[in-house]
Amino acid sequence: MKARAFAYARPRTLQEAHAAFADAEGDASYISGGQSLVPALAMRLQAPQVLIDLGGIAELRGVGLEGGVLRIGALTRHAETLTDPLIRAHAPLLTAAAPFVAHPAIRNRGTVGGSVALADPASEFPAMMLAMGAEMEISGPEGLRRVPADEYFQDLYQTAIEPGEILVALHVPAAGPNHVCAFEEMARRRGDYAMVGGGILAERAGDALVSIRIALFSVGPTPVRARSAEAALIGQVLDAGTIAAAQGALEADIDPLDDEEVPAAMRRHLARVLLGRLLRKLEIAG
Ligand SMILES: Cc1cc2nc3c(=O)[nH]c(=O)nc-3n(C[C@H](O)[C@H](O)[C@H](O)COP(=O)(O)OP(=O)(O)OC[C@H]3O[C@@H](n4cnc5c(N)ncnc54)[C@H](O)[C@@H]3O)c2cc1C
């Protein structure tokens, strides 16, 4: 099957992009890396009249550090999260997750913004935004606004981005010397979407955890914060007992969907095993 014929626009500014979307009366799709959209067009799961290429908009590019916050432009490629020195130093969870996102050819084209805008519940980067407590910068015809990750993921493939809005950048609190992180996922084959996965960003004072954010993916319609497990760990020192307590608490945090490939009970079990692995990694990292 081939994509339906479409018109193509390449705006140079956010305003031009919003104008192109308005001109198409909403029958338009933004395209960044095209690694999810192009297959969807080819299968005619989507058939917009106009494709609006975001690649020419300078505001969507670049990585910078200001006032303890890392700004990652939406057009930053997956592959850059492996090599960019600022991301490696201040958002190490993204760097840890990147090798698990698809394959090198896709990582060379796919963008962090495209992944977070799409919000596939089995994707690595959206969940890592939740673990890092990022804020999403979104542009609409009225201007820019910011949405915290805790409010951004709303339902299956549904985010705080309204039709016609553009994800401009991800703002990530920079990890410091007392932060530790861990990433894990379980997939049938390397490069496949995970059966379960997750990331943790925590801060230590001495041996105790003074802050912790745990985000899991492939366990529900959106990335999920494991708040009960976090509560079981805050102020604690990681050891076999506290890890087991967090694994027990996790029961209350997730309600996986049943599907033919991975039954809900299996996902629940795998999530528990995964959390144990993540926390043991964190224990060693400290
Ligand atoms: C074989 C294969 C395996 C894959 N495996 C994985 C995997 O293991 N893990 C994983 O996470 N992903 C995987 N992907 C998806 C890949 O990571 C995509 O690149 C990513 O999901 C989307 O990024 P993109 O830049 O290509 O977005 P596009 O395909 O260009 O766009 C995706 C969607 O987001 C919208 N969009 C894009 N950018 C913006 C923006 N700035 N603002 C608003 N809306 C926007 C588009 O309109 C579209 O609806 C895989 C893809 C393939 C083809």
Side-chain angles (χ1 to χ4, degrees):
M1 203 183 266
K2 279 187 182 169
R4 197 181 76 176
F6 51 79
Y8 175 80
R10 191 170 162 92
R12 308 300 298 184
T13 64
L14 287 166
Q15 291 72 20
E16 283 179 23
H18 292 306
F21 193 89
D23 286 350
E25 293 175 357
D27 193 1
S29 288
Y30 295 123
I31 183 165
S32 290
Q35 297 305 296
S36 294
L37 185 61
V38 170
L41 295 177
M43 289 185 277
R44 297 211 179 184
L45 298 172
Q46 288 184 47
Q49 293 282 358
V50 185
L51 219 53
I52 304 172
D53 184 347
L54 300 177
I57 304 177
E59 288 125 296
L60 271 59
R61 294 199 177 275
V63 178
L65 182 66
E66 209 184 306
V69 176
L70 194 63
R71 180 194 189 274
I72 301 173
L75 287 173
T76 303
R77 307 254 185 227
H78 300 339
E80 289 175 70
T81 64
L82 286 162
T83 55
D84 183 276
L86 286 175
I87 295 179
R88 290 178 66 87
H90 300 294
L93 200 46
L94 273 192
T95 307
F100 296 87
V101 180
H103 307 280
I106 292 161
R107 293 200 290 269
N108 285 337
R109 296 296 310 166
T111 65
V112 178
S115 176
V116 175
L118 184 63
D120 186 319
S123 268
E124 288 82 1
F125 288 154
M128 295 312 103
M129 292 300 155
L130 194 57
M132 295 186 298
E135 275 189 358
M136 318 309 172
E137 184 181 347
I138 297 169
S139 168
E142 309 303 320
L144 296 170
R145 65 194 177 97
R146 293 227 195 154
V147 180
D150 284 316
E151 294 163 23
Y152 173 83
F153 300 103
Q154 298 183 345
D155 207 340
L156 189 64
Y157 293 105
Q158 195 182 318
T159 70
I161 299 179
E162 299 288 344
E165 289 191 320
I166 296 169
L167 184 59
V168 176
L170 300 317
H171 295 265
V172 179
N178 296 329
H179 282 95
V180 280
C181 70
F183 177 87
E184 273 282 335
E185 72 174 43
M186 295 179 189
R188 291 195 198 276
R189 292 171 309 181
R190 185 75 185 239
D192 281 3
Y193 282 101
M195 294 183 286
V196 297
I200 302 182
L201 182 66
E203 193 176 2
R204 278 205 163 104
D207 285 339
L209 296 169
V210 290
S211 78
I212 184 162
R213 291 178 68 101
I214 305 172
L216 301 180
F217 55 97
S218 279
V219 294
T222 65
V224 172
R225 263 276 310 265
R227 289 179 188 272
S228 309
E230 290 172 5
L233 291 163
I234 202 81
Q236 304 292 324
V237 175
L238 281 176
D239 58 26
T242 48
I243 291 174
Q247 286 175 299
L250 183 68
E251 287 293 313
D253 291 323
I254 56 170
D255 188 14
L257 305 173
D258 230 337
D259 69 48
E260 281 171 20
E261 266 188 50
V262 191
M266 180 172 161
R267 256 188 234 278
R268 198 176 270 285
H269 171 75
L270 292 179
R272 188 184 165 93
V273 174
L274 182 107
L275 180 62
R277 288 186 187 174
L278 280 167
L279 291 171
R280 279 189 288 277
K281 261 193 182 176
L282 214 61
E283 197 182 0
I284 295 163

